Amino acid sequence: MLDPYIGYATPEGRVLRARVLTHLRASEPDPEQSRLTNLRQMASLFITDEVAGVAVLSEGVEALSDAEGYVTLTLPGAGAGPWDDVPMRIAGRPDSEVICPVQVPGETARWLVISDVDDTMIETGAHSLARNLWTTFTGSALTRVVHPDAVKLMATLAEGGRNPVFYVSSSPWNLHDFLEGLFARADLPRGPMFLRDLGVSPSGGIGAGHLDHKSAAIDTILSATPDLPVLLLGDSGQKDAHVYRDAIRRHPGRVRGVALREPAPGVGADDAAAMAQIEAAGVPCYHGPGFGGALEYWGLTPEDEQRQA
């Protein structure tokens, strides 16, 4: 069967993404269930039976799933925005049809938003491996905490769906459905996710590195939306300042502002240096324990936004 992921539009067409699996592992969270039950359910998401070499079809375009079951199709045409629901299915299996939602920025979009997930949108403790694992595996979509200031900022930046939103995380693709449900419950704007493949690569390594993955995802998103400036949200616990600094150097003039949450007291010398280099490049870089002052620091107050709209 097909496990569809949120797709996105590019100048060449619409990009559909999915994974071919023998079955899906999902369960509805119960507010009364124990941490042990949460642990079992979360662990089950990492036990996948992917299928390689399966032909997947949509609008006359066909592609084969790779060794980890992932498949990507690029369909011609812009599609109807801001969301285009596109059917896709396994070849010869009409009963396998699923809908792949594709985000299509409209002509009135003024910027795009790229956000990290752990400790930026949701409380994770990603700067501490032990805390990160405990929070990830013993929580559910009902118990995980989404930062209220992140919800408020993202709603303001998305402007009711006018501006496209993307999420980049080193979490594995196995958590796509979990994160989509969590974001929906928290009223975070919907957007394509760029998660990480933890499978064994042809070179024998395990997926892409954390920093390399985020950098490659940002490059892909900026190439997909070449006419829009970008706002970058992250945190100081996982070298996001370094990733964003390097993205600014690779894409001069594209980044309009950076905001970094500080999940732990203080900022390391290397992160502080990266933040200073972002500012030196002419990009305002807000950082603090929350996002409350980001709009003002960027010069984008709600009143200004309302007036410009």
Side-chain angles (χ1 to χ4, degrees):
M1 58 181 59
L2 283 170
D3 185 18
Y5 304 139
I6 301 174
Y8 58 96
T10 75
E12 291 73 38
R14 292 153 293 155
V15 178
L16 275 60
R17 306 175 297 170
R19 197 176 191 187
V20 183
L21 304 169
T22 60
H23 58 280
L24 299 179
R25 298 176 183 271
S27 58
E28 283 298 317
D30 184 335
E32 302 299 325
Q33 67 192 30
S34 67
R35 286 187 177 271
L36 179 59
T37 300
N38 291 341
L39 176 61
R40 289 171 177 162
Q41 290 182 352
M42 290 301 296
S44 72
L45 297 179
F46 289 81
I47 305 172
T48 56
D49 297 311
E50 57 274 358
V51 189
V54 174
V56 178
L57 300 169
S58 181
E59 296 186 1
V61 177
E62 178 178 320
L64 295 178
S65 58
D66 66 13
E68 297 293 326
Y70 298 106
V71 62
T72 301
L73 297 89
T74 300
L75 309 183
W83 289 94
D84 187 19
D85 291 332
V86 184
M88 63 191 307
R89 62 181 175 83
I90 295 172
R93 287 276 312 281
D95 62 314
S96 68
E97 183 172 291
V98 296
I99 297 298
C100 181
V102 179
Q103 180 177 248
V104 182
E107 294 182 357
T108 62
R110 295 186 293 128
W111 55 65
L112 66 95
V113 182
I114 300 177
S115 177
D116 175 52
V117 174
D118 291 319
D119 285 329
T120 302
M121 294 290 106
I122 62 178
E123 290 185 15
T124 304
H127 56 284
S128 166
L129 178 59
R131 182 180 172 190
N132 186 3
L133 293 174
W134 173 260
T135 303
T136 298
F137 282 96
T138 63
S140 74
L142 297 179
T143 64
R144 295 296 299 273
V145 177
V146 177
H147 291 292
D149 62 330
V151 175
K152 182 178 179 180
L153 177 61
M154 291 293 277
T156 300
L157 296 178
E159 294 185 320
R162 177 182 186 178
N163 302 313
V165 171
F166 297 82
Y167 298 98
V168 175
S169 172
S170 289
S171 293
W173 282 106
N174 306 61
L175 295 183
H176 183 278
D177 185 66
F178 173 84
L179 290 173
E180 189 177 5
L182 174 63
F183 288 2
R185 289 184 178 92
D187 288 329
L188 278 172
R190 193 182 199 189
M193 299 182 194
F194 285 74
L195 307 180
R196 190 155 58 129
D197 176 16
L198 296 184
V200 179
S201 68
S203 63
I206 304 297
H210 167 71
L211 301 185
D212 290 341
H213 162 70
K214 284 191 172 181
S215 296
I218 291 172
D219 291 348
T220 297
I221 296 168
L222 293 186
S223 296
T225 52
D227 299 326
L228 293 176
V230 59
L231 298 165
L232 300 174
L233 307 181
D235 66 85
S236 63
Q238 289 188 295
K239 304 298 182 184
D240 286 345
H242 300 256
V243 175
Y244 295 167
R245 175 202 61 195
D246 294 345
I248 290 168
R249 291 172 175 173
R250 293 194 306 275
H251 304 275
R254 288 294 304 277
V255 180
R256 183 167 179 173
V258 173
L260 299 169
R261 184 189 303 280
E262 297 174 4
V267 176
D270 55 343
D271 285 322
M275 293 176 190
Q277 290 164 346
I278 290 173
E279 290 276 356
V283 178
C285 180
Y286 176 83
H287 59 96
F291 288 139
L295 287 171
E296 290 75 14
Y297 193 81
W298 292 336
L300 300 177
T301 66
E303 292 77 15
D304 288 338
E305 291 304 298
Q306 209 171 41
R307 194 160 51 245
Q308 291 175 20

